[in-house]
């Protein structure tokens, strides 16, 4: 009898705890979290972003190791497939990328008809959407075709970006060069001349460092869209739209504007003082995720120095170095990946308003990896809104309002 009472008592306790947990969940779920900060929205094996320790892993590989040893082609393969490629797999993947570099002439003609004064990201968003119309496999839902479309987009987004840049300058787009690696060909299509070894390395590093960063705004956008089961082009177009936003992809453009405004090392201290007194923001410092140094930032500094010397314009690097010291002394915040990418890309011949497009040409690898992961065991993403409007009220005829 005592045993039965004990069992019954435990059952009552468990029921009470279950009801209490349900109430806690209901209470929590009825409270909106602005920006979904801290909310876990998906299981993913693609990327670990540890902001407390300053650690970034792609499929388990530390970004420091990838930045030092891997190429963007290897990183793209890793993100899409979950493992680094063998030599044969890498060769096949590189050949696939080269095969898809050229884009239909109809897309070039369409770009030439769009307003050249439009923001480059608006042009990229538009031409990416149009590319889906010209791809006969766009609506295919087989895993094999979806992978091929992902590889195609990783290959073609740089072609779109380079064509946008040259057409806006009144120049003809440059056809891809199959003898060059992915990063080298990208630089060649932008500037119309084969890049130096350091410039190629710089582009490859920029693409690698920006390729993936967890469930950021544009990646989440892509996953939400693909979860409704449209084509991959639709999801990528939406991701580009999210990246276009001022709160997401344009920080390094603002850093370059700051460098131009400062102009010389002597003007840094007065600039820092002015920003502090006006309670302004130092672009390229601090990060929404990292509480310590952004693990990607340090990899761009040395290349900025070397390209500054190569171009004969070291002052932008010198301004960056001194500004990093002074700003850290003032606000105790490290610079992030955007800070040195500004001077580095400028040395590479890339104008500031094209920086976010370069970002897209890198992040396309991460977007496609997440899109494919979302499609594997997909469930439509449908969160609940916390309604804060009127309670039910009667309709009043227009004559009585």
């Amino acid at each position: 009898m005592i045993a039965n009472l004990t069992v019954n008592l435990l059952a009552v306790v468990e029921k009470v705890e279950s009801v209490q947990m349900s109430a806690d969940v209901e209470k929590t779920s009825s409270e909106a979290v602005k920006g979904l900060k801290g909310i876990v929205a998906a299981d993913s094996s693609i990327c670990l972003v540890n902001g407390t320790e300053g650690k970034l892993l792609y499929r388990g590989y530390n970004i420091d190791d990838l930045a030092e040893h891997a190429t963007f082609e290897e990183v793209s393969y890793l993100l899409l497939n979950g493992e680094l490629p063998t030599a044969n797999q890498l060769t096949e993947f590189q050949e696939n990328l080269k095969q898809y570099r050229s884009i239909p002439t109809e897309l070039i003609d369409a770009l030439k008809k769009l307003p050249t004064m439009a923001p480059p990201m608006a042009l990229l968003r538009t031409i990416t959407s149009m590319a889906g119309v010209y791809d006969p496999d766009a609506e295919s839902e087989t895993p094999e075709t979806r992978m091929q479309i992902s590889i195609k987009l990783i290959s073609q987004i740089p072609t779109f970006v380079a064509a946008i840049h040259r057409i806006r300058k009144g120049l003809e787009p440059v056809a891809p060069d199959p003898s060059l690696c992915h990063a080298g060909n990208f630089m060649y299509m932008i500037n119309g001349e084969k890049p130096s070894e350091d410039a190629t390395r710089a582009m490859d590093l920029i693409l690698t460092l920006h390729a993936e960063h967890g469930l950021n705004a544009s990646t989440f956008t892509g996953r939400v869209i693909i979860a409704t089961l449209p084509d991959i082009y639709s999801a990528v177009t939406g991701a580009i739209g999210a990246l276009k936003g001022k709160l997401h992809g344009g920080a390094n453009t603002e850093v370059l504007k700051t460098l131009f405004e400062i102009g010389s090392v002597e003007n840094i201290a007065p600039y820092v003082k002015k920003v502090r007194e006006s309670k302004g923001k130092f672009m390229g410092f601090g990060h929404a995720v990292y509480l310590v140094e952004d693990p990607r930032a340090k990899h761009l500094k040395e290349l900025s120095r070397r390209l500054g010397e190569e171009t004969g314009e070291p002052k932008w690097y010198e301004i960056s170095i001194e500004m990093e010291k002074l700003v850290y002394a003032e606000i105790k915040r490290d610079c992030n990946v955007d800070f040195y990418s500004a001077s580095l890309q400028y040395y590479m011949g890339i104008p500031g308003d094209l920086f976010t497009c370069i970002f897209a040409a890198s992040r396309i690898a991460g977007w496609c990896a997440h899109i494919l992961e979302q499609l594997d065991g997909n469930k439509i993403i449908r969160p609940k809104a916390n309604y804060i409007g009127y309670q039910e009220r009667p309709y009043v005829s227009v004559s009585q309002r």
Side-chain angles (χ1 to χ4, degrees):
M1 183 175 180
I2 292 175
N4 289 337
L5 285 172
T6 302
V7 170
N8 290 337
L9 181 59
L10 288 172
V12 170
V13 171
E14 288 177 357
K15 186 172 183 180
V16 170
E17 288 178 345
S18 176
V19 170
Q20 182 61 51
M21 287 175 64
S22 298
D24 289 343
V25 170
E26 180 64 29
K27 180 180 179 182
T28 301
S29 64
S30 66
E31 296 174 355
V33 178
K34 286 189 176 181
L36 302 182
K37 185 174 178 63
I39 299 297
V40 176
D43 290 324
S44 179
S45 62
I46 299 171
C47 182
L48 171 68
V49 184
N50 187 323
T52 304
E53 297 179 13
K55 181 181 288 187
L56 175 62
L57 307 181
Y58 292 177
R59 300 284 194 182
Y61 291 95
N62 194 294
I63 192 62
D64 291 337
D65 290 337
L66 295 174
E68 185 175 350
H69 302 295
T71 63
F72 179 67
E73 290 97 317
E74 289 178 271
V75 167
S76 296
Y77 185 98
L78 170 67
L79 292 173
L80 292 178
N81 295 281
E83 298 292 345
L84 286 168
T86 64
N88 288 338
Q89 288 170 336
L90 180 58
T91 297
E92 181 182 355
F93 188 72
Q94 289 170 328
E95 289 305 312
N96 261 330
L97 288 173
K98 290 178 182 180
Q99 171 191 344
Y100 290 129
R101 282 177 183 171
S102 296
I103 60 177
T105 55
E106 292 88 348
L107 293 180
I108 296 295
D109 293 340
L111 274 175
K112 290 178 178 179
K113 293 176 182 177
L114 294 173
T116 57
M117 296 303 292
M121 280 295 286
L123 297 172
L124 180 60
R125 178 197 62 213
T126 300
I127 207 64
T128 302
S129 179
M130 290 184 66
V133 178
Y134 286 95
D135 187 345
D137 296 323
E139 302 296 333
S140 174
E141 297 184 352
T142 67
E144 296 78 14
T145 305
R146 284 168 168 168
M147 177 62 79
Q148 284 301 110
I149 290 173
S150 298
I151 296 170
K152 185 182 297 184
L153 281 165
I154 292 171
S155 179
Q156 290 188 350
I157 292 292
T159 306
F160 296 157
V161 172
I164 287 167
H165 169 63
R166 293 186 66 82
I167 289 171
R168 291 175 81 238
K169 291 179 65 177
L171 302 171
E172 279 296 312
V174 174
D177 184 340
S179 70
L180 298 173
C181 67
H182 187 81
N185 176 67
F186 193 10
M187 287 296 300
Y188 170 66
M189 291 190 299
I190 288 174
N191 292 324
E193 57 186 35
K194 292 187 178 181
S196 68
E197 185 176 334
D198 276 348
T200 299
R201 172 61 182 150
M203 176 58 81
D204 193 83
L205 191 55
I206 286 169
L207 295 176
T208 293
L209 294 175
H210 289 86
E212 167 58 11
H213 208 243
L215 218 56
N216 54 84
S218 55
T219 299
F220 186 57
T221 299
R223 290 189 75 133
V224 170
I225 293 173
I226 203 63
T228 69
L229 299 183
D231 61 289
I232 292 178
Y233 289 92
S234 295
V236 171
T237 300
I240 291 172
L243 186 65
K244 180 179 181 291
K246 295 177 182 178
L247 296 182
H248 190 6
N252 47 12
T253 302
E254 296 305 314
V255 172
L256 187 64
K257 290 178 182 177
T258 298
L259 296 179
F260 287 164
E261 181 181 345
I262 293 172
S264 67
V265 173
E266 294 75 22
N267 294 331
I268 300 173
Y271 175 83
V272 171
K273 181 180 179 182
K274 180 184 72 173
V275 173
R276 289 291 281 163
E277 289 176 347
S278 64
K279 297 182 179 181
K281 184 177 180 181
F282 294 104
M283 299 305 297
F285 288 85
H287 195 280
V289 175
Y290 296 112
L291 303 179
V292 292
E293 182 183 19
D294 183 335
R296 303 166 295 176
K298 59 182 175 290
H299 294 286
L300 300 177
K301 185 184 296 188
E302 174 60 14
L303 275 171
S304 178
R305 182 191 68 78
R306 281 157 51 180
L307 282 179
E309 292 178 356
E310 184 178 303
T311 58
E313 261 191 311
K315 77 170 185 176
W316 305 115
Y317 168 78
E318 292 166 355
I319 292 172
S320 300
I321 284 287
E322 187 63 22
M323 186 173 177
E324 181 185 9
K325 294 177 184 176
L326 293 183
V327 172
Y328 183 82
E330 282 288 332
I331 65 175
K332 297 298 184 290
R333 286 190 178 183
D334 294 293
C335 66
N336 56 43
V337 70
D338 296 308
F339 187 68
Y340 280 98
S341 73
S343 58
L344 181 57
Q345 290 188 73
Y346 180 72
Y347 287 141
M348 294 160 65
I350 301 170
D353 64 356
L354 202 68
F355 285 0
T356 311
C357 288
I358 304 295
F359 192 158
S362 168
R363 188 57 58 84
I364 183 62
W367 289 337
C368 288
H370 277 271
I371 286 168
L372 295 179
E373 184 179 64
Q374 180 66 37
L375 287 168
D376 184 16
N378 179 58
K379 186 173 180 62
I380 192 169
I381 299 172
R382 180 65 171 84
K384 181 181 178 182
N386 181 36
Y387 179 68
I388 59 171
Y390 290 106
Q391 295 302 308
E392 185 175 356
R393 49 182 177 162
Y395 174 82
V396 179
S397 66
V398 66
S399 63
Q400 295 178 316
R401 291 178 219 158

